[in-house]
Amino acid sequence: MPVEFLGIAATHDGSETTARSGGAFDKEYTLRLARAHEDHGWDRVLFAYGSGSPDPAPAAAYIASRLDRLQILLAHRPNVSYPTFAAKTFATLDQISEGRLTVHFITGGNDHEQGREGDTLTKDQRYARTREYIQIVRKIWTTHEPFDHEGEHYRFRDFVSDVFPAQQPRPDISFGGSSPAAYAAGGAEADIYCLWGEPLEKTAEQIEAVKAAAKASGRTDVPRIQVAFRPIIAPTEELAWEKARRTVGAIEARKASGEPVTRRHTGQAHPQNSGSQRLIAIAEAGERYDRALWTPTAAATGGAGNSNALVGTPETVARALLDYYDLGVDILSARGYDLLGDAIDFGRHVIPIVREEVAKRDAERAARGTRTLAAVRR
């Protein structure tokens, strides 16, 4: 199966290691970073969502109107708009991008962050709302006759949209999480299920949980799997590990100075979401796993989001990514700490190795299938 690469569509040049140099929305930098991804072999970029961050939808429209190939993954929280409005926004953006949109629905794992925009539901209630929201959006995208909806969280009458996605029948739906409630919701509703990078054994367990949830919901297919990492690469292993240690040192120095390293989990000493709790537990159990997975970056940020690193030469990191591909992961998400420079380096030095090896695997698999079919016919 083909492999895809997801990068980040940041709206400024700041990261956990470096304070941003300008405002929260730097239009020129946003375009420059997105263009670097398009020019260096990436398939799509994520426009993330934060309660106080620039609105990702118009930022994504800005990029989509200026680039020709790069696909868009738009993060969206159901608490910020009614599903009828959101469905039209997504359809319009899919038209602007000429069918390059995927929507990533975020249930929200932190009560404090959700409350910043007036969301007072419990986590279980949020999951139920997200499922209802996705079902409504999907129906609006594919229904050309007015319909009513009477649900637990949303009620409306006689709605029909006049704008539909360019993609037919609809854009893909992406979802993530590491709790049983997340597996149940995403296994039932998602086309793509997103995980943060964990050791191979634990990732395999999560993939099986997603598959089981999809089957339990009555689906005959399963979501595609995406896994996210923070690559730290250099020409030699020694230089890569020196760079990794400098990276954690920079994060710790910013924390010591009182600078905000990440906006996640603000207001709480410990993360509420299962994904971050898992990353912290993995880091406490050990620093290095498998071929190249390194956990101190996650520990330094309190398990904030995609934070486990893959460290090594481009060849080592590519082999590590192929280990996940062999588990059944076909969307690989990567984001460095120097957003622009790392996107270019990863695109130049890692992506071609992975694509070449995946092509070899696919060719070998096809050849085995051909031989097996020939043997059966004999």
Side-chain angles (χ1 to χ4, degrees):
M1 58 184 175
V3 65
E4 297 181 13
F5 287 91
L6 169 70
I8 190 69
T11 58
H12 58 75
D13 59 357
S15 75
E16 295 92 330
T17 60
T18 309
R20 72 188 189 213
S21 61
F25 182 57
D26 182 334
K27 186 170 69 172
E28 287 71 25
Y29 182 84
T30 302
L31 179 57
R32 186 181 177 196
L33 180 61
R35 183 169 284 128
H37 282 86
E38 181 168 88
D39 290 345
H40 291 89
W42 299 78
D43 296 285
R44 59 169 60 88
V45 289
L46 166 67
F47 281 85
Y49 190 93
S51 60
S53 301
D55 187 345
Y62 169 66
I63 294 303
S65 66
R66 284 159 176 79
L67 299 180
D68 299 322
R69 301 182 306 278
L70 194 65
Q71 298 176 53
I72 302 297
L73 177 59
L74 179 70
H76 181 76
R77 288 182 185 168
N79 60 291
V80 300
S81 67
Y82 215 72
T84 50
F85 176 85
K88 295 184 296 179
T89 299
F90 303 148
T92 303
L93 180 53
D94 199 50
Q95 289 288 343
I96 291 171
S97 68
E98 298 180 327
R100 288 178 280 149
L101 177 70
T102 297
V103 182
H104 179 67
F105 289 92
I106 301 173
T107 297
N110 181 283
D111 292 343
H112 180 85
E113 170 70 3
Q114 295 298 122
R116 284 173 157 172
E117 294 187 284
D119 189 2
T120 60
L121 298 187
T122 66
K123 189 173 180 180
D124 287 344
Q125 290 172 328
R126 292 199 298 266
Y127 274 114
R129 179 183 61 191
T130 299
R131 291 191 64 170
E132 184 178 344
Y133 198 99
I134 290 172
Q135 291 163 4
I136 293 169
V137 168
R138 185 189 292 120
K139 187 170 183 178
I140 291 171
W141 280 345
T142 57
T143 301
H144 292 258
E145 298 296 330
F147 69 95
D148 301 340
H149 179 82
E150 186 77 25
E152 180 181 358
H153 297 280
Y154 302 102
R155 298 171 182 80
F156 54 85
R157 297 282 180 270
D158 198 38
F159 182 82
V160 62
S161 178
D162 197 32
V163 57
F164 292 90
Q167 296 177 77
Q168 292 298 315
R170 59 172 178 80
D172 279 345
I173 289 167
S174 171
F175 189 91
S178 296
S179 67
Y183 300 144
E189 306 295 344
D191 302 296
I192 298 169
Y193 198 98
C194 307
L195 302 169
W196 289 334
E198 296 187 3
L200 290 164
E201 181 180 2
K202 292 187 177 297
T203 299
E205 292 170 356
Q206 290 204 82
I207 292 173
E208 290 307 311
V210 173
K211 289 180 177 179
K215 182 177 180 180
S217 74
R219 289 179 62 167
T220 56
D221 63 338
V222 296
R224 299 169 65 199
I225 302 296
Q226 173 184 304
V227 177
F229 303 96
R230 305 300 292 271
I232 301 175
I233 62 172
T236 68
E237 295 293 329
E238 181 180 8
L239 290 173
W241 286 104
E242 289 177 2
K243 182 178 178 181
R245 288 187 285 271
R246 287 197 307 272
T247 298
V248 170
I251 295 171
E252 295 291 358
R254 290 196 68 199
K255 288 167 58 179
S257 70
E259 290 186 72
V261 174
T262 173
R263 295 185 180 276
R264 288 180 180 268
H265 315 319
T266 302
Q268 294 178 331
H270 304 286
Q272 289 182 311
N273 62 307
S274 297
S276 292
Q277 292 170 5
R278 288 174 65 99
L279 294 188
I280 292 171
I282 290 167
E284 290 174 345
E287 286 194 359
R288 295 181 64 170
Y289 293 85
D290 305 321
R291 195 186 300 270
L293 191 73
W294 196 55
T295 65
T297 47
T301 58
N306 169 24
S307 52
N308 269 339
L310 292 177
V311 182
T313 64
E315 293 77 12
T316 296
V317 170
R319 288 196 297 270
L321 291 169
L322 287 162
D323 291 338
Y324 287 89
Y325 174 82
D326 291 338
L327 284 183
V329 176
D330 62 349
I331 304 176
L332 300 169
S333 174
R335 171 167 58 100
Y337 291 92
D338 170 9
L339 300 179
L340 181 60
D342 288 344
I344 293 170
D345 287 345
F346 189 89
R348 283 176 174 167
H349 303 298
V350 178
I351 288 178
I353 297 174
V354 177
R355 289 199 192 281
E356 181 179 358
E357 288 301 319
V358 166
K360 289 179 182 178
R361 283 164 164 75
D362 289 348
E364 291 168 358
R365 189 178 297 112
R368 287 196 299 270
T370 299
R371 289 195 296 271
T372 300
L373 181 60
V376 170
R377 287 176 174 173
R378 285 198 299 269

